[in-house]
Amino acid sequence: MKSTFRYARALLQRFRHTAAEANRISYEQESLRLLAENCGDVIFRFGVDGRVPYISSSVERLFGCPLKDIYAMGGDVVQNGFVYEEDQAAVALAVEGHFAGTVPQTKLEFRIRQRGGAIIWVETNCSTVLDRKSGRPTDIVFTMRDISEKKALEARLEAFARKDGLTGIANRRAFDEELEREWRAALGENGALSLLIIDVDCFKAFNDANGHQVGDDCLRTVAAAIDAHAEQHGALAARYGGEEFALVLPRTDYKRALAAGERIRCVVEALGVPHSDAAVSSVVTVSVGVATAMAANGGTIAMPHGLLQAADAALYKAKAGGRNRVEGALLFSPKEAIPAAA
């Protein structure tokens, strides 16, 4: 009788323990479900066999369409109409690595196109799930979040880092990058690239006579005039340094580059900024050095450094010739190999 009682009590304790464990598991599962469905991150699980075991319902806010529609698209996370076209190759490569078992974890930033057509940036953290027995990949589990605000902030900071603090136009860093990029394009097209170096005449005398604040205002005025011309012609205007400015003119031959330099010279002179201490004129003027490089076999000038040197030399000739004038040089460059993008 006692043994029967002890056995019954043991069964009851075991039952209570099992029930408590079941309740604990149920509570954890419910907690995980609530977290997955209500947090900002979207959770995906895709199988190597194309199955889609789980997608958290928060995906509806991110993708802008019902959950059932996303399930219906299956496990092809690249060709499902959401991954932005230019980013599909990078995403496909990562997915391939996970399913092959060569990439255990990865972090990606790419764009998706929402059902309504809007394009947003997302960040994903992906992990490969392996079968415990075989060690082979069975699933990819990843979280996805909207980082559009972060990317917008990064873009604003990048734009700020590429602007001259005084004049608001592009700075030397942006100029160097643009010149290199446009020369590669000129090589690819076997075309022309022109460069203008523009110097404010007798600027030291202007500063000495009017003070640095008025001098800064003068530079901003001249920069705005040059930048307006650049925008009209799809070019980049930059502050090259001090009172010097630069204008990169893609696909522009020598004759048109000289004409652009003359227009800028006339526009600045027409601003009518008084300059009583200038030996050239009673108003602020500029000297312009123009250089045009042609990508051609048989040339001897290395670019784009040679283009800069030629524009500088032309500017020096314009200043030595009396200032408030335009001088130029035409160069031919060898067909250099286009360097691979970093």
Side-chain angles (χ1 to χ4, degrees):
M1 187 67 163
K2 289 182 179 181
S3 62
T4 301
F5 177 76
R6 285 196 297 270
Y7 177 70
R9 186 171 61 182
L11 283 177
L12 180 60
Q13 288 176 342
R14 186 180 302 171
F15 173 78
R16 287 174 177 171
H17 175 75
T18 303
E21 182 67 14
N23 287 335
R24 184 186 67 79
I25 294 173
S26 177
Y27 177 78
E28 289 181 353
Q29 289 175 337
E30 179 63 11
S31 297
L32 289 173
R33 184 188 67 81
L34 290 173
L35 284 171
E37 294 181 1
N38 291 283
C39 73
D41 290 4
V42 178
I43 301 174
F44 292 83
R45 181 182 175 187
F46 289 101
V48 295
D49 56 1
R51 294 179 303 108
V52 188
Y54 181 77
I55 305 175
S56 61
S57 59
S58 52
V59 73
E60 294 184 343
R61 295 192 300 271
L62 191 65
F63 281 23
C65 67
L67 181 61
K68 62 180 179 62
D69 290 357
I70 301 172
Y71 268 114
M73 294 175 186
D76 193 336
V77 297
V78 178
Q79 300 296 332
N80 58 13
F82 286 105
V83 178
Y84 189 62
E85 293 83 355
E86 293 181 10
D87 298 333
Q88 287 181 3
V91 176
L93 185 63
V95 171
E96 181 181 339
H98 278 284
F99 283 166
T102 58
V103 180
Q105 290 184 323
T106 189
K107 182 177 181 179
L108 286 176
E109 292 182 357
F110 57 91
R111 290 158 291 183
I112 63 171
R113 191 188 301 276
Q114 295 178 313
R115 177 60 62 85
I119 297 173
I120 64 171
W121 277 94
V122 295
E123 176 188 270
T124 61
N125 287 280
C126 311
S127 297
T128 303
V129 179
L130 303 177
D131 182 82
R132 292 184 178 180
K133 294 182 178 179
S134 67
R136 295 176 180 174
T138 60
D139 300 90
I140 296 177
V141 175
F142 63 92
T143 60
M144 179 182 289
R145 66 176 59 181
D146 185 346
I147 58 166
S148 298
E149 289 187 4
K150 171 192 169 187
K151 299 299 283 189
L153 176 60
E154 288 176 352
R156 288 196 295 271
L157 291 174
E158 174 64 19
F160 181 77
R162 293 167 57 86
K163 281 191 175 182
D164 175 60
L166 175 65
T167 63
I169 65 174
N171 59 16
R172 181 64 180 268
R173 171 192 167 188
F175 164 76
D176 289 340
E177 292 173 355
E178 180 75 0
L179 186 62
E180 184 68 39
R181 180 167 49 248
E182 290 299 343
W183 177 244
R184 288 200 300 267
L187 283 174
E189 299 169 1
N190 197 29
L193 174 66
S194 292
L195 171 65
L196 276 60
I197 301 293
I198 305 153
D199 181 80
V200 180
D201 293 324
C202 307
F203 185 71
K204 184 180 183 304
F206 183 92
N207 244 353
D208 292 344
N210 299 283
H212 291 292
Q213 183 60 58
V214 177
D216 288 348
D217 290 341
C218 173
L219 290 179
R220 280 189 282 264
T221 301
V222 172
I226 296 172
D227 194 45
H229 182 278
E231 288 183 357
Q232 292 173 6
H233 296 83
L236 175 81
R239 188 180 180 195
Y240 191 65
E243 66 270 21
E244 286 190 342
F245 300 91
L247 193 66
V248 181
L249 293 168
R251 303 173 184 84
T252 303
D253 60 27
Y254 183 56
K255 182 178 180 180
R256 288 191 297 149
L258 285 173
E262 179 60 22
R263 283 195 299 271
I264 288 175
R265 188 198 66 76
C266 292
V267 165
V268 173
E269 188 174 30
L271 291 173
V273 178
H275 191 352
S276 57
D277 290 278
V280 184
S281 170
S282 60
V283 297
V284 169
T285 60
V286 293
S287 297
V288 185
V290 176
T292 299
M294 305 292 295
N297 289 319
T300 58
I301 304 297
M303 298 297 169
H305 180 66
L307 188 62
L308 272 169
Q309 287 185 318
D312 269 334
L315 175 62
Y316 180 81
K317 183 178 180 181
K319 293 170 73 172
R323 297 186 175 90
N324 192 23
R325 57 188 295 149
V326 179
E327 295 288 349
L330 177 62
L331 309 172
F332 292 91
S333 171
K335 281 288 288 182
E336 307 161 28
I338 301 176

